[in-house]
Amino acid sequence: MTHTYVTVDQFVEIVQQQEAIELSDLFDGGNTEINTARVLAALVDASREADSYFRQRYTTPVTPTPPELKRPIVAIARYRLSNLADKESRIRVDYDDSIRWLQQIAKGLANLDLVAGDSPVAPETQVFVSPGYRMDLEGFHV
């Protein structure tokens, strides 16, 4: 089953209606409606990309969706829909910032704001460490 951290409606709310129409237009003009299938596909891809960073520290998909995750997912989807905007564009800057943030999460330099019990760290990745001694959750020395 596919999941997204952001709905098409939330995407439109963040980028606004006209930009959503323009980004989702396959034919570079003329459309007056949002191509929701194209936007949804970009959101699914962006969510999968985020999950690839989260897997080392969290059970994916992360539920419920932390509010701070919405804008980075939109930025990634927006970048994908824009046909890979040039380096100087706001779309590209937002994308690069979002990827850097996801990398920081993967490295443990940033955290998702989760309530206790929400999407805990995957048990197989937890290791307890003390000076000169390490043990995984099953009590085995590693």
Side-chain angles (χ1 to χ4, degrees), residues 1-6 38-51 73 77:
M1 174 159 167
T2 58
H3 79 93
T4 63
Y5 290 114
V6 177
R38 189 158 189 254
V39 172
L40 182 59
L43 291 169
V44 168
D45 287 347
S47 297
R48 286 180 180 158
E49 186 169 352
D51 282 345
I73 295 298

Side-chain angles (χ1 to χ4, degrees), residues 93-108:
V93 170
D94 290 347
Y95 169 79
D96 289 343
D97 289 347
S98 296
I99 295 299
R100 266 192 298 282
W101 182 73
L102 291 172
Q103 289 169 340
Q104 289 178 336
I105 288 173
K107 293 175 183 176

Side-chain angles (χ1 to χ4, degrees), residues 5-6 10 14 43 65-75 101:
Y5 290 114
V6 177
Q10 291 168 329
I14 291 170
L43 291 169
T65 300
E68 69 272 18
L69 185 52
K70 292 184 183 195
R71 286 203 180 269
I73 295 298
V74 167
W101 182 73

Side-chain angles (χ1 to χ4, degrees), residues 27-117:
F27 304 108
D28 294 326
N31 275 351
T32 58
E33 294 182 12
I34 297 168
N35 181 335
T36 55
R38 189 158 189 254
V39 172
L40 182 59
L43 291 169
V44 168
D45 287 347
S47 297
R48 286 180 180 158
E49 186 169 352
D51 282 345
S52 73
Y53 290 95
F54 298 151
R55 278 190 197 102
Q56 294 303 313
R57 299 190 52 220
Y58 301 100
T59 300
T60 58
V62 176
T63 56
T65 300
E68 69 272 18
L69 185 52
K70 292 184 183 195
R71 286 203 180 269
I73 295 298
V74 167
I76 294 167
R78 189 174 169 221
Y79 176 71
R80 300 278 185 244
L81 288 167
S82 73
N83 295 318
L84 311 176
D86 66 76
K87 292 180 186 178
E88 309 301 317
S89 74
R90 180 81 245 162
I91 291 173
R92 177 62 184 255
V93 170
D94 290 347
Y95 169 79
D96 289 343
D97 289 347
S98 296
I99 295 299
R100 266 192 298 282
W101 182 73
L102 291 172
Q103 289 169 340
Q104 289 178 336
I105 288 173
K107 293 175 183 176
L109 301 173
N111 296 299
L112 294 175
D113 187 19
L114 299 174
V115 176

